[in-house]
Amino acid sequence: MDHYIKIAQELSISSKQVNTTVGLLDEGATVPFISRYRKELTGSLDEVQVAAIRDRIQQLRDMDKRREAIIKSLTDLGKLTPELEKQLNEADTMVALEDIYLPYRPKRKTRASAAREKGLQPLADIILAQGKGDPEEEALNFIDAEKGVNNVAEALAGARDIIAETISENADVRATMRELFINKGTIQSRVVSGKEEAGIKYKDYFDWSEPVSTAPSHRVLAMRRGEKEDILWLDIQPEEDDAIALLEKHFITANNPNALQVKLAVGDSYKRLLKPSMETEVRLITKKKADDEAIRVFAENARQLLLAAPLGQKRMIAIDPGFRTGCKVVALNEQGKLLEYTAIFPHSGAGGLAEAEKTLRHLVTKYHTEAIAIGNGTAGRETELFVRNLNLDGVTIVMVNESGASIYSASEAARDEFPDQDVTVRGAVSIGRRLMDPLAELVKIDPKSIGVGQYQHDVDQNKLQTSLDDTVISCVNAVGVELNTASKQILAYVSGLGPQLAQNIVDYRNANGAFVKRDQLKKVARLGDKAFEQAAGFLRIRGAENPLDASAVHPERYALVEQMAKDNGCSVKDLMSDNKLRASIPLKKYITDTVGLPTLNDIMAELAKPGLDPREKFEAFSFTEGVNTMNDLKVGMKLPGIVTNITNFGAFVDIGVHQDGLVHLSQIANRFIKDANEVVKVHQQVMVTVTEVDVNRKRISLSMKNAEPGERTKKQGDTRANIKKEPETDMQSKLAALKNKFK
């Protein structure tokens, strides 16, 4: 119960909500299921809150296990006292637990332990008490050649070693030092001598210093990466005088010869023991903080990309571009099934161009193609220009981000689906399917490979994987999954399923044909009542006999909806198609012990728009013609682009030159913003101005400021796919600025 109260206070909710949610989680309920279908029990907690409860209760339970292990260890050592046990039980963080345990933890031989073996602990105690006696006279009593104490100086040095370790292992001192390092410490970065040229990308950090407390996650991770690559040297510490002054205030209680010995021990303790220890801890703390922020940004970017607008089921040609090896071309039907594949060579001379044009026109006619998807990798812009110049009537032409397509094409999932095709054909198919339905295709690859994160290889991989898995699960269940067409990869992310049950569903579908009702799921091998409860509401059957099977209404509430229809003298189908009938339903009449207004309102919303896809409507896009490489860029150009990545310091935008440009946070809006997500999101179409181009460092600086109303992002309905745009030149920009100056 203490844990429930603690979590409730941290999340500003009631302990009853925490208690109920933890109970549901312990029973095997998933985050999407709890937040969607158990609102009455949880008080309508959303996915973020439920996940926070899940993660925090696990942290607290892990801490309890560690506390038990420490208490057992101290008991076995005969060191556990009632006071010590009380301290351990009151410790509310893992760090506090470890600080209390540190003096008792078995350790390798130290200078202090060696001094204790020489019998110098009593001398250390006398000196630390800082009485009026002479420490050198006291030390005479501890000279013992057999024990290795040959003179007064060695006796005093050993005693100081014991005092230094005692100071460094004091829990209160460690907490104070930790706070000093975090709040007053500075992180300093210097270039390793001779690495200036090799580490040019870290030039900003060659001589850098900033407070630990305010260092943003991206800079912390960048500096750590530079250090790992032996380009940078890092140091984290507060002012040494401040740290030692704090220690002296805590330990020096007199002004006499003994106090002078303690002062020497304090300085040694800080420099030799506490500083390295605290720097290591603060490195871990700042790394964890930076990891958490980078993972949060990565997960949000992944969510936005996964929920990008789908083109939908269209007859499609997909092209994986290339120069020397040609362009791999595949024709797909509305469901993304491979119909035909070939290769064209539009960039290998006049003969290849003519043949490529002939082949592509033939495929478009043969398969009544509605859209052409072109990968945005090598030769992507050149291939797009070739295709647009064909002037294919009624065909939407779209550049598709192909990040991770090569990962998919070499994966087990791709080999299972296309065992007889090579990786280039599989990659082209993936590009086309991404345009049809980004979510359904992107779930087939590791989320870390979809190209929306920074420093993803530097952060805690387990945390990253958990966060991205949560994100994918959230997206898949928010959209819902068509049971009869879904791949095993996307089914695996459905609440309550997982890889094995997903495979079993596909096997059942292959053996018995399409599902006609949700109840058939119970016939799938190993899919029991619990899995059915967790999954059924997120699985859709388009065209099912029971229209509720195509909606997000859970089967456990079918009887309730049928009762509503019966009370209104109509069918369920009538309820779903008639606004007036639904409006006439007195919802309070149907409130029970387990069903309240939150669930009833959800049911009514679902009846109004069953299986509604929450993703936005697809809008086509094209880059500016004639701007294909960084060398084509000029300061002042206004260009359309696609947001590919959002970070704490700004947004990266693809402007079609094979190198994303950065719109710094200060250049995103005409007003002050703290977070780029306030204005832009991944895959959003924006208009940017080029402000700086550094070809050597492959850096492009962009701005979204001072855009005309409606120019910052593409207007709804502006297809732009077939609109040719000419870049504004640097001279045009300068003339406009000059004109404004003299208004």
Side-chain angles (χ1 to χ4, degrees):
M1 288 306 297
D2 288 344
H3 289 344
Y4 298 156
I5 293 169
K6 184 178 183 64
I7 295 171
Q9 290 172 344
E10 292 172 352
L11 299 181
S12 299
I13 56 179
S14 72
S15 57
K16 180 181 178 182
Q17 287 175 290
V18 177
N19 189 359
T20 303
T21 303
V22 171
L24 289 168
L25 289 165
D26 287 345
E27 290 169 6
T30 67
V31 172
F33 176 81
I34 293 171
S35 60
R36 171 77 191 190
Y37 296 114
R38 291 296 179 263
K39 291 183 177 180
E40 283 76 15
L41 290 177
T42 68
S44 296
L45 295 180
D46 61 27
E47 283 190 3
V48 174
Q49 293 169 307
V50 174
I53 292 171
R54 176 201 63 191
D55 296 343
R56 189 64 173 121
I57 194 67
Q58 187 59 51
Q59 288 176 353
L60 293 172
R61 286 171 174 175
D62 288 345
M63 192 164 70
D64 285 343
K65 289 179 183 176
R66 179 59 181 155
R67 193 190 329 268
E68 289 170 9
I70 289 173
I71 289 174
K72 182 178 185 304
S73 174
L74 290 171
T75 301
D76 294 343
L77 291 169
K79 299 287 182 68
L80 187 67
T81 64
E83 183 183 355
L84 191 54
E85 186 171 13
K86 182 174 182 291
Q87 287 180 328
L88 289 167
N89 286 326
E90 290 176 353
D92 59 357
T93 67
M94 197 72 84
V95 171
L97 270 180
E98 298 299 342
D99 279 351
I100 295 168
Y101 183 45
L102 183 60
Y104 310 95
R105 188 165 60 188
K107 56 174 76 72
R108 60 181 176 80
K109 191 169 184 178
T110 65
R111 282 166 49 173
S113 64
R116 289 189 182 97
E117 289 173 3
K118 294 175 182 179
L120 295 173
Q121 181 68 57
L123 177 59
D125 294 340
I126 291 169
I127 293 172
L128 191 56
Q130 298 170 62
K132 294 180 180 180
D134 185 342
E136 293 189 1
E137 288 184 9
E138 290 289 349
L140 289 170
N141 300 321
F142 294 89
I143 294 175
D144 187 335
E146 289 185 4
K147 292 183 178 180
V149 184
N150 297 304
N151 51 50
V152 168
E154 288 183 5
L156 290 176
R160 289 196 301 270
D161 286 342
I162 293 172
I163 295 170
E165 186 172 275
T166 300
I167 291 170
S168 73
E169 292 182 347
N170 182 285
D172 291 339
V173 165
R174 294 185 72 83
T176 300
M177 281 294 106
R178 195 176 292 115
E179 186 177 351
L180 179 68
F181 268 70
I182 292 172
N183 295 332
K184 302 293 185 181
T186 299
I187 182 168
Q188 299 173 333
S189 171
R190 303 284 184 273
V191 64
V192 174
S193 180
K195 294 293 184 76
E196 291 82 0
E197 187 173 340
I200 189 66
K201 66 180 178 181
Y202 296 107
K203 185 179 179 181
D204 293 345
Y205 303 105
F206 281 2
D207 186 15
W208 182 263
S209 177
E210 66 180 311
V212 170
S213 59
T214 58
S217 63
H218 63 274
R219 285 209 287 269
V220 171
L221 293 172
M223 286 185 278
R224 287 180 64 97
R225 181 186 287 182
E227 182 183 43
K228 187 177 180 180
E229 295 177 8
D230 295 323
I231 302 296
L232 301 176
W233 170 84
L234 290 187
D235 187 37
I236 300 176
Q237 63 174 320
E239 288 292 332
E240 186 174 288
D241 290 346
D242 292 346
I244 291 177
L246 272 175
L247 292 174
E248 289 179 349
K249 182 179 179 181
H250 192 95
F251 285 98
I252 295 179
T253 58
N255 184 15
N256 57 37
N258 278 315
L260 288 176
Q261 291 292 323
V262 175
K263 186 172 184 177
L264 289 173
V266 164
D268 175 52
S269 179
Y270 176 73
K271 295 172 185 176
R272 180 170 59 87
L273 300 173
L274 270 172
K275 179 187 178 299
S277 177
M278 286 297 110
E279 180 173 3
T280 298
E281 280 197 29
V282 173
R283 277 173 173 262
L284 291 174
I285 291 168
T286 55
K287 171 71 162 55
K288 180 183 180 301
K289 181 182 175 183
D291 280 3
D292 290 346
E293 182 60 19
I295 289 169
R296 183 194 67 78
V297 171
F298 194 162
E300 182 56 33
N301 287 349
R303 174 183 296 277
Q304 293 173 11
L305 184 60
L306 290 167
L307 294 179
L311 178 64
Q313 295 185 334
K314 304 285 185 183
R315 295 181 297 277
M316 183 174 298
I317 286 174
I319 304 175
D320 187 358
F323 285 121
R324 183 180 56 81
T325 57
C327 302
K328 306 304 181 289
V329 181
V330 297
L332 308 174
N333 70 6
E334 296 94 327
Q335 284 75 43
K337 181 180 178 182
L338 177 62
L339 302 175
E340 184 176 339
Y341 64 91
T342 187
I344 58 175
F345 298 84
H347 313 302
S348 60
L353 179 62
E355 186 62 28
E357 180 176 340
K358 178 181 176 182
T359 300
L360 204 56
R361 287 187 183 278
H362 168 71
L363 290 173
V364 168
T365 302
K366 179 178 179 180
Y367 294 108
H368 306 287
T369 299
E370 299 171 274
I372 296 178
I374 304 166
N376 69 343
T378 303
R381 293 301 311 281
E382 293 80 3
T383 303
E384 179 196 24
L385 180 61
F386 155 69
V387 175
R388 289 192 184 282
N389 285 341
L390 297 180
N391 295 314
L392 300 167
D393 290 337
V395 178
T396 302
I397 300 165
V398 184
M399 290 285 286
V400 176
N401 188 333
E402 61 179 46
S403 293
S406 60
I407 302 290
Y408 164 75
S409 61
S411 69
E412 182 181 348
R415 290 195 299 273
D416 287 347
E417 190 170 6
F418 302 108
D420 301 324
Q421 312 301 339
D422 68 19
V423 293
T424 57
V425 173
R426 298 171 189 162
V429 171
S430 181
I431 289 169
R433 288 176 173 176
R434 283 188 188 199
L435 182 57
M436 287 184 182
D437 190 340
L439 178 60
E441 193 61 22
L442 289 172
V443 295
K444 296 178 182 177
I445 63 174
D446 187 333
K448 294 195 288 289
S449 300
I450 62 177
V452 293
Q454 281 208 313
Y455 305 108
Q456 60 260 45
H457 301 297
D458 300 299
V459 301
D460 185 311
Q461 294 300 295
N462 290 331
K463 275 190 176 181
L464 176 61
Q465 194 64 55
T466 298
S467 177
L468 291 178
D469 284 347
D470 279 352
T471 300
V472 178
I473 289 169
S474 173
C475 292
V476 167
N477 291 285
V479 172
V481 172
E482 173 53 44
L483 184 56
N484 284 321
T485 59
S487 67
K488 67 179 181 181
Q489 287 82 16
I490 197 167
L491 284 168
Y493 285 107
V494 171
S495 166
L497 295 185
Q500 186 56 59
L501 287 179
Q503 182 62 61
N504 293 354
I505 288 173
V506 172
D507 292 343
Y508 181 91
R509 199 170 64 196
N510 291 338
N512 299 280
F515 288 87
V516 295
K517 56 183 179 179
R518 278 172 168 164
D519 269 352
Q520 278 182 274
L521 283 165
K522 295 178 180 178
K523 297 180 180 179
V524 173
R526 299 178 65 183
L527 202 157
D529 290 343
K530 190 67 178 181
F532 179 82
E533 175 196 59
Q534 298 296 307
F538 303 104
L539 296 168
R540 315 275 191 267
I541 303 177
R542 191 180 295 115
E545 181 178 338
N546 185 339
L548 295 177
D549 282 345
S551 74
V553 176
H554 197 283
E556 67 187 6
R557 302 299 174 218
Y558 283 9
L560 174 61
V561 177
E562 288 162 1
Q563 186 62 49
M564 289 178 177
K566 182 179 179 182
D567 291 347
N568 278 269
C570 66
S571 67
V572 172
K573 284 185 179 179
D574 293 335
L575 271 186
M576 298 174 79
S577 60
D578 192 323
N579 291 336
K580 290 183 179 179
L581 276 176
R582 290 194 304 276
S584 68
I585 296 174
L587 291 184
K588 290 184 179 179
K589 173 183 175 181
Y590 300 97
I591 293 175
T592 67
D593 292 340
T594 56
V595 178
L597 283 176
T599 293
L600 291 169
N601 286 327
D602 282 349
I603 289 173
M604 298 310 291
E606 196 59 31
L607 293 178
K609 295 181 178 179
L612 177 68
D613 192 327
R615 294 173 289 184
E616 294 181 358
K617 184 180 177 182
F618 178 82
E619 298 173 358
F621 172 88
S622 67
F623 295 111
T624 298
E625 290 185 13
V627 180
N628 301 327
T629 70
M630 285 186 69
N631 293 323
D632 296 325
L633 296 175
K634 290 182 174 61
V635 173
M637 280 184 169
K638 285 192 174 182
L639 304 167
I642 297 281
V643 177
T644 58
N645 205 350
I646 295 174
T647 70
N648 283 346
F649 53 88
F652 286 94
V653 177
D654 181 2
I655 53 176
V657 296
H658 304 296
Q659 180 65 48
D660 291 354
L662 171 66
V663 184
H664 189 269
L665 193 63
S666 62
Q667 295 296 313
I668 288 178
N670 294 330
R671 57 185 172 85
F672 173 77
I673 59 171
K674 289 184 177 180
D675 185 350
N677 284 289
E678 294 176 32
V679 179
V680 294
K681 61 183 179 180
V682 172
H683 216 259
Q684 181 175 326
Q685 300 171 21
V686 296
M687 186 65 71
V688 296
T689 302
V690 179
T691 59
E692 185 181 351
V693 181
D694 187 337
V695 176
N696 292 331
R697 298 175 73 187
K698 293 185 177 180
R699 290 190 177 183
I700 305 167
S701 297
L702 306 170
S703 175
M704 289 169 53
K705 294 180 79 169
N706 301 317
E708 294 297 323
E711 192 179 35
R712 186 182 308 283
T713 62
K714 181 168 69 62
K715 297 177 184 176
Q716 183 78 17
D718 175 8
T719 62
R720 199 180 296 252
N722 298 308
I723 300 175
K724 295 183 179 180
K725 296 169 286 298
E726 296 299 328
E728 293 189 17
T729 66
D730 190 30
M731 182 59 72
Q732 287 173 324
S733 176
K734 289 178 178 177
L735 286 172
L738 190 63
K739 183 178 179 181
N740 289 331
K741 204 170 187 180
F742 292 101
K743 278 185 177 179

